[in-house]
């Protein structure tokens, strides 16, 4: 009888505690919802990201590392951070490669009847040039490195290799397809050179058929000759592949005058709001300021930079005081070297900074769908418990892994990482192509990304990880 009474008493205590805990959680979530609604209203009513992006794209334009335009963008974004209310704004030096495209590339394929098919092409980033005389040779197609190996040096020597690695259309997550096919662009030149090729043409990493060549970084293996590398449009790749299947003799020719100059100094642009309770704990949010030189770099990654500046501006404008220090970083040189991310990590290590969380936006300013996470399972669970707070703003997916190439190195010092996940179905229509312009960005989509980023940054600032 006595034991039953004790058990009943414990059950009542547990019930009361459970009810109180549920009420506390509900109250906390209600308060969090109110704060996030305040953030949302500020971004959607008074957001500056779109107009800041217009300035970067139209007044400055392409921002290739080492260029005059890149330095102008450094100065412009520093001012944007100051105007947005950052407590501190400073430049963080970093060494970056200085590659120049040179004169506009040209190329064609000459078929058996001496007709010339003009190619839509562009040099790959960091590629050596052909010189003004160009190169001309027969073409060998390969759809994988394994196939290239099977063809062998006896056939490839003295030829131009055509690497035709289409992005897999069956992947709904287009970044997965990009990751698989990207090896052709990154390592294709040295792989082809190892079999004696004199040049390489790479199928553009694009989701759809079009006439716009997509550039992007490539790297050389110093064990082999540094042969020139260009990308051709997906339409041209399809045409060329069909011609080669007909077994008719053809010759490809192209000219590019690109070259690599000596490394030069540039800067990450950093703006901070100092934390009110735990200022030593740092939360980083950022995108990369540099872009390729074919267009304005609006989606890649002007959008991510302007969203990151908007996070700081919004919290200041809404009168929200973060408990932890929030730092917006415009990383330099993501596209062809990673100099900015290396400098940021090195500085964090030297200063023994407590970098508790870092969020990157480098998937374009499209409609946000979720956040990719790269952190311990315990911290991941904390973030996922906040997921219902994001449902009203269109974000629901917290299950993909990953973060971004600029914040990624911070994993070395134990930082929890995340990346804004957007609807990427249109991203590889414009990625690294001349179509990446301001007009391709929707203000509404850009702002939705910024408000969800600001909400997540605020939650981490409020509760830690």
């Amino acid at each position: 009888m006595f034991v039953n009474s004790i058990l009943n008493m414990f059950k009542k205590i547990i019930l009361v505690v459970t009810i109180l805990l549920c009420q506390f959680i509900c109250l906390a979530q209600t308060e969090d919802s109110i704060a996030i609604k305040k953030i949302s209203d500020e971004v959607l009513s008074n957001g500056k990201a779109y107009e800041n992006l217009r300035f970067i794209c139209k007044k400055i334009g392409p921002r290739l590392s080492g260029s005059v335009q890149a330095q102008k963008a450094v100065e412009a974004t520093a001012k944007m951070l100051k105007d947005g209310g950052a407590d501190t704004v400073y430049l963080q030096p970093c060494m970056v490669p200085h590659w120049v495209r040179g004169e506009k590339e040209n190329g064609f394929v000459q078929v058996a009847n001496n007709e010339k098919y003009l190619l839509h092409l562009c040099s790959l980033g960091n590629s050596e040039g052909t010189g003004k005389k160009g190169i001309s040779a027969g073409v060998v197609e390969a759809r994988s490195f394994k196939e290239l190996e099977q063809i062998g040096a006896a056939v490839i020597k003295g030829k131009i290799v055509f690497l035709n690695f289409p992005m897999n259309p069956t992947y709904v997550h287009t970044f997965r397809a990009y990751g698989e096919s990207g090896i052709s662009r990154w390592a294709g030149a040295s792989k082809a050179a190892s079999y004696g090729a004199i040049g390489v043409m790479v199928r553009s990493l694009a989701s759809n058929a079009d006439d716009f060549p997509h550039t992007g970084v490539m790297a050389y293996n110093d064990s082999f000759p540094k042969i020139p590398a260009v990308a051709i449009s997906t339409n041209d790749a399809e045409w060329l592949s069909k011609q080669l299947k007909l077994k008719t003799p053809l010759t490809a020719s192209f000219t590019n005058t690109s070259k690599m100059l000596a490394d030069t100094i540039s800067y990450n642009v950093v703006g901070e709001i100092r934390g009110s309770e735990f200022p030593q704990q740092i939360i980083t949010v950022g995108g990369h300021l540099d872009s390729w030189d074919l267009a304005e770099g609006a989606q890649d990654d002007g959008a991510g930079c302007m969203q990151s500046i908007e996070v700081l501006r919004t919290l200041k404008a809404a009168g929200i005081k973060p408990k932890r220090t929030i730092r917006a970083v415009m990383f330099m040189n993501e596209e062809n070297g990673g100099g900015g991310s290396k400098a940021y990590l090195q500085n964090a290590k030297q200063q023994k900074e407590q970098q508790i969380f870092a969020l990157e936006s480098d998937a374009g300013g499209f409609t946000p769908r979720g956040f990719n996470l790269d952190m311990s399972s315990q911290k991941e669970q904390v973030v996922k418990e906040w997921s219902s707070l994001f449902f009203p703003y269109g974000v629901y997916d917290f299950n993909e892994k990953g973060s971004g190439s600029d914040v990624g190195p911070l994993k070395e010092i134990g930082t929890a990482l995340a990346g804004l996940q957007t609807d990427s179905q249109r991203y590889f229509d414009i990625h690294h192509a001349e179509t990446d312009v301001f007009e391709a960005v929707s203000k509404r989509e850009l702002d939705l990304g910024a408000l969800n980023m600001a909400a997540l940054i605020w939650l981490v600032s409020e509760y830690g990880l």
Side-chain angles (χ1 to χ4, degrees):
M1 191 77 174
F2 177 74
V3 172
N4 287 337
S5 298
I6 294 295
L7 287 174
N8 287 332
M9 182 179 68
F10 273 118
K11 287 179 180 178
K12 290 178 181 179
I13 291 173
I14 290 170
L15 179 62
V16 171
V17 170
T18 301
I19 292 171
L20 290 173
L21 183 60
C22 288
Q23 289 177 337
F24 175 78
I25 292 172
C26 289
L27 178 61
Q29 286 210 321
T30 299
E31 291 176 350
D32 292 343
S33 296
I34 292 170
I36 292 173
K37 182 62 165 63
K38 192 175 183 180
I39 288 170
S40 174
D41 288 350
E42 174 59 33
V43 173
L44 296 180
S45 298
N46 305 309
K48 299 291 188 278
Y50 192 68
E51 288 307 313
N52 282 341
L53 183 62
R54 186 197 301 274
F55 184 90
I56 286 291
C57 292
K58 298 303 180 185
K59 298 298 183 181
I60 296 176
R63 306 172 298 280
L64 191 59
S65 293
S67 68
V68 172
Q69 291 91 338
Q71 180 57 31
K72 288 182 178 180
V74 165
E75 296 164 4
T77 49
K79 183 178 186 301
M80 289 174 186
L81 283 163
K82 290 176 184 176
D83 292 346
D87 298 332
T88 307
V89 178
Y90 58 94
L91 305 184
Q92 186 179 75
C94 57
M95 294 303 294
V96 301
H98 187 189
W99 177 81
V100 292
R101 183 172 299 279
E103 299 173 9
K104 183 173 176 55
E105 307 89 339
N106 62 78
F108 60 88
V109 173
Q110 187 167 314
V111 292
N113 59 5
N114 289 326
E115 289 187 6
K116 289 183 179 179
Y117 178 94
L118 296 180
L119 294 169
H120 302 84
L121 56 78
C122 66
S123 299
L124 293 180
N126 294 355
S127 172
E128 296 288 337
T130 62
K132 292 191 176 182
K133 290 184 178 180
I135 60 173
S136 182
V139 180
V140 176
E141 178 183 11
R143 297 180 70 89
S144 68
F145 284 164
K146 183 177 180 180
E147 185 176 330
L148 193 68
E149 181 182 359
Q150 291 169 346
I151 294 169
V155 175
I156 294 171
K157 187 174 182 179
K159 302 291 199 311
I160 294 173
V161 166
F162 165 41
L163 295 174
N164 189 18
F165 294 16
M167 288 177 62
N168 191 328
T170 67
Y171 295 156
V172 175
H173 290 285
T174 58
F175 278 91
R176 180 184 174 192
Y178 175 72
E180 284 189 4
S181 296
I183 190 68
S184 64
R185 190 192 73 203
W186 171 257
S190 289
K191 197 72 173 177
S194 71
Y195 297 105
I198 66 168
V200 66
M201 298 190 300
V202 177
R203 179 193 181 105
S204 286
L205 299 176
S207 302
N208 295 311
D210 61 36
D211 290 325
F212 301 104
H214 295 230
T215 190
V217 70
M218 54 84 65
Y220 288 113
N221 182 329
D222 291 336
S223 299
F224 307 109
K226 295 182 178 181
I227 62 175
V230 298
I232 63 173
S233 73
T234 47
N235 276 339
D236 287 354
E238 289 296 309
W239 177 87
L240 182 56
S241 184
K242 289 177 182 176
Q243 292 298 312
L244 290 168
K245 285 179 175 61
L246 296 175
K247 305 295 184 183
T248 55
L250 54 79
T251 301
S253 302
F254 68 83
T255 302
N256 70 317
T257 59
S258 57
K259 59 183 176 179
M260 185 70 78
L261 304 178
D263 287 0
T264 188
I265 192 168
S266 191
Y267 304 91
N268 294 328
V269 185
V270 184
E272 293 182 356
I273 297 177
R274 186 169 175 81
S276 60
E277 294 186 24
F278 310 102
Q280 75 281 5
Q281 294 184 18
I282 297 168
I283 299 167
T284 294
V285 57
H288 66 85
L289 189 54
D290 62 307
S291 76
W292 286 110
D293 55 326
L294 297 181
E296 298 166 356
Q299 298 282 15
D300 185 22
D301 183 31
C305 287
M306 300 309 106
Q307 288 171 327
S308 300
I309 294 172
E310 184 69 3
V311 170
L312 262 63
R313 189 207 68 80
T314 296
L315 295 178
K316 275 286 188 176
I320 296 173
K321 296 181 179 179
K323 292 180 180 178
R324 292 160 173 85
T325 295
I326 298 175
R327 180 184 289 172
V329 182
M330 313 299 109
F331 290 96
M332 183 57 70
N333 187 225
E334 185 271 349
E335 293 292 5
N336 68 328
S341 62
K342 293 170 188 174
Y344 191 71
L345 171 63
Q346 185 63 25
N347 184 77
K349 291 163 72 173
Q350 289 175 347
Q351 300 299 321
K352 295 182 172 55
E353 291 179 343
Q354 295 183 41
Q355 291 267 352
I356 67 166
F357 180 66
L359 169 64
E360 183 167 337
S361 173
D362 189 18
F366 298 102
T367 302
R369 300 297 189 200
F371 291 100
N372 300 337
L373 305 178
D374 185 3
M375 58 189 70
S376 69
S377 57
Q378 292 87 350
K379 292 178 180 179
E380 187 176 299
Q381 187 57 40
V382 171
V383 174
K384 288 182 176 180
E385 286 174 358
W386 295 330
S387 62
S388 62
L389 295 167
F390 293 85
F391 293 166
Y393 306 100
V395 163
Y396 55 86
D397 189 352
F398 291 79
N399 295 312
E400 294 294 320
K401 300 296 182 182
S403 56
S405 57
D406 280 316
V407 302
L410 293 172
K411 191 172 183 178
E412 182 181 328
I413 58 174
T415 308
L417 307 176
L420 179 67
Q421 180 193 139
T422 67
D423 186 326
S424 67
Q425 303 312 311
R426 292 177 288 140
Y427 187 59
F428 291 102
D429 290 345
I430 63 175
H431 183 246
H432 296 177
E434 65 180 79
T435 46
D436 186 7
V437 295
F438 175 75
E439 289 78 8
V441 179
S442 159
K443 182 181 187 303
R444 184 70 176 180
E445 291 178 321
L446 185 71
D447 286 345
L448 284 170
L451 81 84
N452 278 284
M453 289 167 64
L456 181 57
I457 291 295
W458 175 76
L459 285 166
V460 176
S461 171
E462 189 73 5
Y463 300 108
L465 270 181

